[in-house]
Amino acid sequence: MIFKQHLFFMLYSACGLVIKEAATKNKVKGSQGQVPITQNVTVVEGGTANMTCRVDYNDNTSLQWSNPAQQTLFFGDKKALRDNRIELVHASWKELTISIHEVTLSDEGQYTCSLFTMPVKTSKAYLTVLGVPEKPEITGFTKPALEGDHVTLTCTTSGSKPAADIRWFRNDKEIPGATEVNATGRSFTVRSTLEFQVDRSEDGVAYTCSVDHVALLAAPQQVTEVLEVHYAPRVEILNSLIFPQEGQYFKLECDSIGNPLPEPVLWTKDGGELPDMERMIVEGRELIITSLNKTDNGTYRCEASNSLGTDIAEYKLFVYDPNALAQHGPDHALIGGVVAVVVFITLCFIIVLGRYLARHKGTYLTNEAKGAEDAPDADTAIINAEGNHAHAEEKKEYFI
Ligand SMILES: *[C@@H]1O[C@H](CO)[C@@H](O)[C@H](O)[C@H]1NC(C)=O
Ligand SMILES: *[C@@H]1O[C@H](CO)[C@@H](O)[C@H](O)[C@H]1NC(C)=O
Ligand SMILES: *[C@@H]1O[C@H](CO)[C@@H](O)[C@H](O)[C@H]1NC(C)=O
Ligand SMILES: *[C@@H]1O[C@H](CO)[C@@H](O)[C@H](O)[C@H]1NC(C)=O
Ligand SMILES: *[C@@H]1O[C@H](CO)[C@@H](O)[C@H](O)[C@H]1NC(C)=O
Ligand SMILES: *[C@@H]1O[C@H](CO)[C@@H](O)[C@H](O)[C@H]1NC(C)=O
């Protein structure tokens, strides 16, 4: 009986050992590669995502892909979910690859590849879907804006994921805007505003809103608006001659700016109509007097108007008598006189300076001469000849 029991125990132990060994073997096999391997995938919405699951070592165990909602998409090569965007790319014992077409933001999430060993081994792959920002829109443009108006330009783009970047450019130079991001569903709405007061220098300035995003591979999305500013006229009169003389051709130009452009301009003389339409011709913004007459002097006025206002400029014409201008000669004579006096004084100064220098030079040379009996050059000879010898001797003594 005891022997029998013993035998049974021995058998039991041997069996257990075998079972144990088998289990250990299995474990080793598993750790050697029976693990599915996946990779995260990023795709732009509307594109195709390929989800690949691989097993390096596989003893013919089935692979399965399931979506973030834990629904089985493919079990081996068998399609499990009715979604015609999802297709099988490749199925083998070592790989299961499926593709999801026309990906939407709602496809994003964690997908699972399962290997049906005991226990089941899984690997997660995160599918990231990038939302493409819609073409931006600029609002807040009043066309036209009036000078002094406060303008708020708003650029909005929706549908981006992650949130897009908005940048502003004023005539191609970047300027800062105030950006605000709101989540709308799975994507983002990004808005950036610019606030400023318009003046006439803003007329014709181009404002560009540029949207940068990872999903925009080629170039940023841009929209440009050109500001139109209306402003009141400003006029200025330009004259063709400084001293208009009788008989001369004379032209006054009314330089007017304003938006809308104030045209035509109105010319008047001394508060009334132009007196002589024969000699006075108005051409566009110019007033031309073909031949000046003394009777033409007076105040000429140019008036320009647009919807925002009126501006006036005046010019006082004095027609000089060519003979009287000759009397203006004294002006020139005076200038001439002043120049003459200045020249005279300068000359006097030069002469005085010259004489002073010459005297010094003479003294120096005389001193030199005391060493050498003979004059070293003609100059010295002349000086020596001029000054009497007694004087030279005197100097010699004085210096010794
Ligand atoms: C997905 O797989 C298909 C079929 O193999 C291939 O044509 C396509 O280029 C792949 N797409 C990506 C994004 O890898
Ligand atoms: C897997 O299955 C194939 C046939 O489908 C067979 O030839 C192969 O021996 C099997 N491999 C293993 C490890 O069971
Ligand atoms: C995959 O994506 C998830 C979620 O974004 C992240 O936690 C994980 O580290 C990523 N894995 C790899 C290998 O990049
Ligand atoms: C974001 O949300 C706030 C509060 O709901 C709203 O006032 C604002 O206009 C929104 N901004 C955008 C860019 O949608
Ligand atoms: C100026 O006008 C007066 C009157 O119209 C005329 O008598 C005179 O000859 C004119 N002078 C010149 C220089 O044209
Ligand atoms: C011409 O100008 C002079 C000087 O300003 C003035 O005395 C004279 O009255 C003017 N003549 C006319 C016709 O306007």
Side-chain angles (χ1 to χ4, degrees), residues 57-60 93:
Y57 172 82
N58 188 359
D59 54 359
N60 290 358
W93 297 117

Side-chain angles (χ1 to χ4, degrees), residues 43 48-50 89 97-99:
V43 65
T48 298
N50 286 354
V89 175
T97 300
I98 61 167
S99 64

Side-chain angles (χ1 to χ4, degrees), residues 82-111:
R82 268 176 64 174
D83 184 339
N84 51 21
R85 296 182 305 130
I86 301 173
E87 284 179 354
L88 181 70
V89 175
H90 185 75
S92 71
W93 297 117
K94 288 192 165 187
E95 182 189 329
L96 179 60
T97 300
I98 61 167
S99 64
I100 309 167
H101 299 281
E102 289 157 46
V103 168
T104 64
L105 295 181
S106 58
D107 290 325
E108 177 162 301
Q110 195 162 263
Y111 288 69

Side-chain angles (χ1 to χ4, degrees), residues 310-328:
T310 298
D311 195 26
I312 287 163
E314 284 185 348
Y315 176 80
K316 276 197 168 63
L317 175 63
F318 185 88
V319 181
Y320 290 88
D321 184 342
N323 306 318
L325 262 193
Q327 279 175 11
H328 261 264

Side-chain angles (χ1 to χ4, degrees), residues 154-157 179-184 188-192:
T154 304
C155 181
T156 310
T157 179
T179 303
E180 186 191 358
V181 178
N182 275 10
T184 41
F188 297 92
T189 297
V190 186
R191 178 182 290 175
S192 183

